[in-house]
């Protein structure tokens, strides 16, 4: 299986952003060319949408939220992800289309398959090759956040649903997903990731 497009997933506060950055730095130090991107964002258009999506200044309806996430993602895939991979540059992504399936599809109750299909269309079926899911108790994850954005400040019940959504996704795609304990040390999880991705000798 390819590992050119690697995504880190999990509820807010799970530690995915830190691990994504650590893996990117490690690959760079090993001479492996890679680009670290984030969702929402990663492009000029995407960063503009990010500001709208995460700001407390706006009230965004549930389906509008899903559409905005899909729009910024479409731009990122077409502008950065696919062109980079075509040049043999690895992509390390802080979130991916799977986030919307878990957050909007399950968490917001818009429908697993409905949001999967929306994002499949937006990204032209270019899903991550490998996904690291940081699983964590939502109560612990919420306590980790100091300045939560609009979505990150949602209720505990919402994140419990999102967590269930992620685990359902991972179960459906077990060959492509690695589930790690978000409470484990960064060093331990990074070691597990390297072994799974076969990056030990990079």
């Amino acid at each position: 299986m390819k590992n050119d497009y690697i995504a880190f997933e999990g509820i807010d506060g799970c530690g995915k952003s830190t691990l994504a950055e650590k893996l990117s730095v490690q690959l760079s130090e090993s001479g492996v060319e890679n680009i670290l991107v984030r969702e929402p964002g990663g492009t000029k258009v995407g960063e503009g949408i990010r500001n709208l999506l995460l700001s407390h200044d706006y009230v965004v309806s549930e389906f509008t939220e899903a559409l905005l996430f899909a729009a910024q993602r479409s731009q990122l895939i077409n502008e950065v992800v696919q062109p980079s991979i075509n040049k043999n540059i690895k992509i390390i992504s802080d979130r991916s289309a799977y986030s919307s399936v878990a957050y909007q599809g399950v968490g917001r109750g818009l429908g697993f398959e409905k949001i999967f299909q929306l994002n499949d269309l937006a990204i032209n079926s270019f899903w991550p090759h490998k996904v690291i899911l940081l699983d964590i108790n939502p109560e612990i994850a919420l306590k980790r956040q100091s300045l939560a954005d609009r979505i990150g400040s949602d209720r505990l019940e919402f994140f419990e649903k999102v967590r269930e959504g992620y685990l359902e996704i991972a179960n459906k795609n077990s060959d492509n997903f690695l589930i790690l304990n978000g409470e484990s040390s960064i060093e331990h999880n990074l070691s597990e990731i390297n072994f799974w991705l076969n990056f030990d000798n990079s």
Side-chain angles (χ1 to χ4, degrees):
M1 293 291 290
K2 290 184 177 180
N3 59 14
D4 295 326
Y5 179 18
I6 302 160
F8 284 77
E9 291 286 358
I11 64 173
D12 292 61
C14 70
K16 60 178 179 46
S17 300
T18 300
L19 272 173
E21 184 175 352
K22 291 281 188 182
L23 180 62
S24 176
V25 170
Q26 174 195 285
L27 289 176
S28 296
E29 290 176 346
S30 300
V32 179
E33 192 172 4
N34 72 93
I35 296 175
L36 176 65
V37 298
R38 68 175 182 176
E39 290 195 17
T43 65
K44 188 173 182 179
V45 169
E47 291 297 324
I49 295 176
R50 178 187 180 91
N51 291 336
L52 191 159
L53 275 169
L54 302 185
S55 173
H56 290 280
D57 295 334
Y58 301 98
V59 177
V60 183
S61 72
E62 294 172 345
F63 193 60
T64 299
E65 183 178 275
L67 289 170
L68 287 169
F69 271 111
Q72 63 81 31
R73 187 168 291 127
S74 178
Q75 186 72 22
L76 179 63
I77 291 292
N78 284 282
E79 184 178 327
V80 180
V81 176
Q82 283 190 305
S84 298
I85 290 175
N86 289 340
K87 296 176 183 177
N88 295 317
I89 301 171
K90 291 186 184 296
I91 293 291
I92 309 300
S93 185
D94 182 350
R95 296 204 179 283
S96 71
Y98 288 114
S99 282
S100 280
V101 180
Y103 272 77
Q104 286 75 50
V106 180
R108 301 292 190 212
L110 295 177
F112 188 104
E113 290 299 330
K114 182 178 181 180
I115 299 304
F116 180 92
Q117 291 170 12
L118 171 66
N119 280 274
D120 191 57
L121 178 64
I123 64 175
N124 195 28
S125 300
F126 199 81
W127 294 80
H129 299 139
K130 294 290 185 179
V131 182
I132 295 100
L133 173 60
L134 277 296
D135 185 44
I136 191 171
N137 184 321
E139 291 187 26
I140 294 173
L142 289 177
K143 289 178 181 177
R144 287 181 172 184
Q145 299 186 70
S146 54
L147 295 172
D149 56 43
R150 183 184 66 84
I151 295 176
S153 60
D154 214 310
R155 297 174 302 167
L156 174 63
E157 292 78 10
F158 170 70
F159 289 104
E160 289 173 340
K161 290 179 182 178
V162 174
R163 182 190 188 188
E164 291 172 3
Y166 270 125
L167 293 174
E168 181 180 354
I169 294 167
N171 185 54
K172 289 177 179 287
N173 301 274
S174 57
D175 289 343
N176 297 353
F177 269 71
L178 172 66
I179 302 175
L180 296 175
N181 185 346
E183 294 183 60
S184 296
S185 69
I186 293 173
E187 293 74 18
H188 172 79
N189 280 338
L190 190 58
S191 176
E192 292 290 312
I193 291 166
N194 278 313
F195 179 79
W196 186 60
L197 294 173
N198 195 29
F199 283 166
D200 286 327
N201 297 318
S202 295

